[in-house]
């Protein structure tokens, strides 16, 4: 069992296709198929159900996939640790960010990181926060920027992030009280960004009935819909336009969710740790103690 066979297995499992996996690995389809068959022979179990139309994991394949991902991560880490001892910094880091979020400082941070560590390759994907958290748990990402209703056990650097009432006029203190939402059509992010669940919980406790005009997964779509008078977006500050007024409860306290950088519980590669440290200043406000795992 070696990295070549494990890499072929993981690529086919993630793409659900031998042809797509071969393209990703830049190998012939026959080579990928041979490596998977050799791995199946070593394990004594079929890992895939193959039909003319699709490829699906068997029960054994589903059980093996997380372990294969972890094994590849540890193998990459071993190489990176040796490089680090000799003063080299190499490897690949998979970073997940929230789709459509206004990460205005992120390009500068990443450019600075790449200039400092030119041999570290960055793979950046975007998805709803809940999908990023799931990918971290399954070992598909090394680092993710999450927004959750309550602190995630995966958080490494995080803070309490206030909800913002985008496009609503603030009061004299620059805030929008939750009572100002009465009678307003609202655009909320779905449960993947945790804003709706937290907003509705506070509204219920205050005896306020909300009018939801739309629920969306993408912060940019929420802002686009707002420009067409569909409603007022309620979003975490981490994904809101700069300067958006903060939403407060009946006693004037900000209504918050949790936002920050998260990483898998298992061992992180040196390259991932370097990026995690470089990005920690993206987390706004005062640092909060790391959740107990």
């Amino acid at each position: 069992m070696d990295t070549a066979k494990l890499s072929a297995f993981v690529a086919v499992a993630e793409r659900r296709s031998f042809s797509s996996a071969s393209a990703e690995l830049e190998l012939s389809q026959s080579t990928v198929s041979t490596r998977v068959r050799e791995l199946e022979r070593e394990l004594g179990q079929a890992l895939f159900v193959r039909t003319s139309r699709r490829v699906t994991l068997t029960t054994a394949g589903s059980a093996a996939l997380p372990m294969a991902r972890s094994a590849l991560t540890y193998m990459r880490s071993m190489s990176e640790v040796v490089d680090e001892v000799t003063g080299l910094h190499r490897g690949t880091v998979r970073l997940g960010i929230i789709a459509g979020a206004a990460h205005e400082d992120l390009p500068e941070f990443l450019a600075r990181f790449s200039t400092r560590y030119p041999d570290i390759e960055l793979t950046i994907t975007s998805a709803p926060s809940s999908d990023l958290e799931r990918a971290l748990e399954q070992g598909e990402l090394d680092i993710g920027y999450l927004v959750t209703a309550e602190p995630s056990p995966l958080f490494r650097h995080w803070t309490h992030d206030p909800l913002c009432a985008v496009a609503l006029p603030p009061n004299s203190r620059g805030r929008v009280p939750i009572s100002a939402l009465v009678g307003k059509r609202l655009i909320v992010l779905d449960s993947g960004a945790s804003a709706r669940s937290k907003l509705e919980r506070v509204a219920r406790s205050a005896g306020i009935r909300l009018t939801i005009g739309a629920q969306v997964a993408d912060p940019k779509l929420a802002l686009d819909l707002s420009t067409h008078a569909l409603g007022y977006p309620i979003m975490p500050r981490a994904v809101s336009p700069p300067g958006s007024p903060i939403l407060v409860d009946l006693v004037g306290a900000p209504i918050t969710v949790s936002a920050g950088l998260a990483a898998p519980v298992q061992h992180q590669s040196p390259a991932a740790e370097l990026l995690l440290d470089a990005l920690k200043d993206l987390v706004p406000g005062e640092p909060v103690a790391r959740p107990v795992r």
Side-chain angles (χ1 to χ4, degrees), residues 44-255:
Q45 295 287 337
L47 299 174
F48 296 105
V49 176
R50 301 162 173 85
T51 68
S52 58
R53 293 186 176 181
R54 61 177 186 165
V55 177
T56 58
L57 286 164
T58 63
T59 301
S62 296
L65 182 58
M67 298 300 294
R69 286 177 175 142
S70 295
L72 288 172
T73 297
Y74 277 108
M75 290 174 184
R76 286 196 303 266
S77 297
M78 183 184 300
S79 175
E80 291 171 14
V81 166
V82 173
D83 286 342
E84 189 174 32
V85 170
T86 57
L88 299 175
H89 297 289
R90 294 186 295 204
T92 300
V93 183
R94 300 162 299 174
L95 171 66
I97 60 176
I98 298 173
H103 298 285
E104 61 174 8
D105 295 326
L106 182 62
E108 179 184 349
F109 275 86
L110 294 179
R112 196 158 57 227
F113 179 84
S114 293
T115 299
R116 185 174 182 183
Y117 304 109
D119 293 323
I120 295 179
E121 178 183 342
L122 302 178
T123 300
I124 304 170
T125 59
S126 60
S129 182
S130 57
D131 290 350
L132 297 178
E133 187 170 17
R134 191 177 307 113
L136 288 167
E137 291 171 344
Q138 295 176 354
E140 298 171 7
L141 288 176
D142 299 306
I143 301 170
Y145 194 98
L146 307 182
V147 177
T148 60
E150 303 299 335
S152 167
L154 301 179
F155 274 140
R156 296 282 291 275
H157 304 286
W158 68 286
T159 188
H160 295 297
D161 196 41
L163 295 182
C164 291
V166 181
L168 276 170
N171 60 19
S172 58
R173 300 183 60 189
R175 307 294 177 90
V176 174
I178 193 169
S179 57
L181 303 185
V182 175
K184 303 286 195 306
R185 286 174 59 83
L186 306 177
I187 303 171
V188 296
L189 298 188
D190 65 12
S191 58
S194 307
R196 178 169 187 167
S197 59
K198 192 62 176 283
L199 176 65
E200 290 181 329
R201 189 187 315 164
V202 175
R204 281 195 301 270
S205 65
I208 292 173
R209 183 186 180 93
L210 301 176
T211 303
I212 307 299
Q215 173 180 288
V216 300
D218 188 328
K220 183 178 184 303
L221 177 58
L223 297 175
D224 290 343
L225 292 175
S226 177
T227 63
H228 289 82
L230 186 63
Y232 297 94
I234 305 296
M235 307 191 300
R237 183 169 60 183
V239 298
S240 296
S244 298
I246 292 173
L247 186 66
V248 297
D249 61 20
L250 291 181
V251 298
I255 302 170

Side-chain angles (χ1 to χ4, degrees), residues 17-39:
S17 164
F18 279 87
S19 59
S20 297
S22 64
E24 177 189 343
L25 297 173
E26 298 181 344
L27 297 169
S28 68
Q29 188 169 333
S30 62
T31 298
V32 173
S33 298
T34 297
R35 290 179 180 179
V36 170
R37 283 198 301 270
E38 289 175 352
L39 181 60

